[in-house]
Every structure is written in C-alpha cells, then in structure tokens.
Amino acid sequence: AQSVSQHNHHVILSEAASLELGCNYSYGGTVNLFWYVQYPGQHLQLLLKYFSGDPLVKGIKGFEAEFIKSKFSFNLRKPSVQWSDTAEYFCAVNPYGNNRLAFGKGNQVVVIP
Amino acid sequence: EPEVTQTPSHQVTQMGQEVILRCVPISNHLYFYWYRQILGQKVEFLVSFYNNEISEKSEIFDDQFSVERPDGSNFTLKIRSTKLEDSAMYFCASRDQGSVAKNIQYFGAGTRLSVL
C-alpha cells in the first residue's frame, strides 16, 4: 500500500545537537515533497518543499532536506538545534497532479536547553 | 503572513450530537481541505472542495460528514451524529489557484474534537 513513513516518533536532544528526521514514501512516479512543523498551539507551518531540480532544498529556520529518488526518501536535517525547535514535524507527499497530501505519523522533537 | 483560522480550538460533545467545525481560509485561496489526526495516528485526508463542490473525498468521509462554504469567507465541516471514534484533531487547509503541480497547502492550528 502507498504510505509515508517517519520513524523515531519521539526525539529528545540537547541544544546545539544535530537533528536528522527520516521520511520514506512508497509512491511511484513523480511526487511533491513537504516538511511541515507544528509548534505548540500553532498551525501547521510549511518548513520546506521539493518539486524538482536541486535535490537539496533549504527551508526556514536553518532546516534543509535532501531528496534521494533511489531511496524514496526526503530526510530533514538541521546542524544545530535550538530550544525553540521543540515541535512536531510532519513529512507529507503529494503525488503529482493529485489533490491530497499524504502524511507520515510525525516526529515529536523536544530540545532540552 | 496570512493564516488559516479555525474555531473553536477545542470542542467537547456528547456522542450522537451534531458538531460544526469552522475554518476561515486565506482570503484569495480557492481550494479548501479538511484533514484529521486521531491521537497517535497519521494526519489523514478527508475531503477537498473547489468551486462550491467536493472535488475529492476519502473513504473516511461518509454520509455523516458534510462540508459547506456558506459565505465568502467560512468553510465548515459538519458531523451529523458524532461517534466516539470521531475524536481527533481536525485540520483545515487552503491553497491558491497556482499550478496543481505545486500543491502548497496552508494549514490552520486545528480543532480538537472530543466525543464523550
């Protein structure tokens, strides 16, 4: 079945540590890829997106993600996290021309000062 | 930055009651969506709405659900007779009329529905 997988649902790390969140999907064909972040009590906010071109995309707040087509992956990274990065992070996949987004389960990230 | 606004933030209801969840999409957007997330599970697509009609719905969106754009600004999700399993966070999203190939959806903060 087509799906989006995010592992390690709960991640706890200290400030200045590096963060990498994995996202794998099982859709064939062309896809659009997204990472959303939800800070406590706030709306889901677009962190970054990939449509085509350079597979390394940079988003807001120092985040970046790399699309590896052969691995069906779109992993999110940040070299040095801050306490304010405490949030839930969602990977989403949109098969080309399709209306809906398919989400992973999310990663709850807690950064300890 | 324009935002999608959802009200209420938390709705508590008794099983069998009707609920209406409200959303105000970004003003120049034309495509509207509802998603839900049951606790511990994935965010799931419910329905998309364009040009005053449903353009796509998932298998979750059965006859108990309906959507409406009653005026130029609101987009509502109605659940006619709530069940315990309807307890979830409901997210509204909207996007503009840009290329369908670049489907960037903007989300609200969600309404947490608790069915007792």
Side-chain angles (χ1 to χ4, degrees):
Chain A
Q2 297 175 325
S3 66
V4 181
S5 299
Q6 292 179 247
H7 306 290
N8 301 324
H9 183 62
H10 290 99
V11 177
I12 301 173
L13 60 168
S14 300
E15 276 193 318
S18 64
L19 173 68
E20 179 159 0
L21 302 177
C23 175
N24 291 88
Y25 61 93
S26 60
Y27 294 85
T30 303
V31 293
N32 297 321
L33 298 160
F34 306 87
W35 276 96
Y36 284 88
V37 60
Q38 188 174 30
Y39 300 103
Q42 296 188 29
H43 62 281
L44 274 163
Q45 180 180 358
L46 184 65
L47 254 187
L48 45 76
K49 59 192 181 292
Y50 174 80
F51 297 131
S52 63
D54 188 344
L56 184 62
V57 292
K58 296 195 183 298
I60 60 171
K61 305 184 188 232
F63 285 90
E64 64 178 31
E66 185 175 12
F67 169 53
I68 303 179
K69 189 175 182 180
S70 61
K71 294 186 178 180
F72 297 89
S73 70
F74 189 55
N75 293 352
L76 181 71
R77 295 193 291 256
K78 184 170 183 177
S80 177
V81 295
Q82 300 171 307
W83 174 78
S84 56
D85 294 321
T86 294
E88 188 150 18
Y89 294 81
F90 296 93
C91 179
V93 176
N94 170 232
Y96 189 87
N98 198 302
N99 222 345
R100 62 178 77 179
L101 297 180
F103 283 85
K105 257 190 174 182
N107 296 104
Q108 183 65 56
V109 174
V110 175
V111 180
I112 301 170
Chain B
E1 180 184 307
E3 287 186 3
V4 175
T5 306
Q6 290 186 244
T7 55
S9 57
H10 191 190
Q11 174 86 50
V12 181
T13 189
Q14 296 288 329
M15 192 169 55
Q17 295 296 305
E18 174 184 287
V19 294
I20 298 176
L21 309 182
R22 302 181 192 279
C23 170
V24 179
I26 294 172
S27 63
N28 63 337
H29 285 190
L30 298 176
Y31 294 81
F32 313 114
Y33 306 83
W34 283 101
Y35 292 79
R36 78 172 185 191
Q37 185 182 27
I38 295 171
L39 192 63
Q41 297 185 26
K42 296 182 179 184
V43 176
E44 303 170 288
F45 169 81
L46 292 178
V47 66
S48 62
F49 190 86
Y50 172 70
N51 200 25
N52 282 320
E53 61 183 24
I54 291 173
S55 50
E56 187 179 351
K57 60 183 181 179
S58 72
E59 55 281 358
I60 302 167
F61 194 88
D62 61 22
D63 292 345
Q64 291 299 311
F65 292 90
S66 62
V67 289
E68 193 178 35
R69 188 157 163 80
D71 52 41
S73 60
N74 290 285
F75 178 53
T76 62
L77 174 69
K78 183 193 291 186
I79 309 174
R80 285 191 187 80
S81 177
T82 50
K83 303 188 281 282
L84 294 175
E85 54 265 36
D86 293 327
S87 294
M89 180 73 91
Y90 288 81
F91 293 105
C92 175
S94 69
R95 74 171 177 92
D96 64 20
Q97 200 168 358
S99 165
V100 71
K102 296 187 176 181
N103 186 352
I104 301 175
Q105 297 180 22
Y106 295 86
F107 285 80
T111 293
R112 179 163 299 284
L113 176 65
S114 299
V115 182
L116 305 179

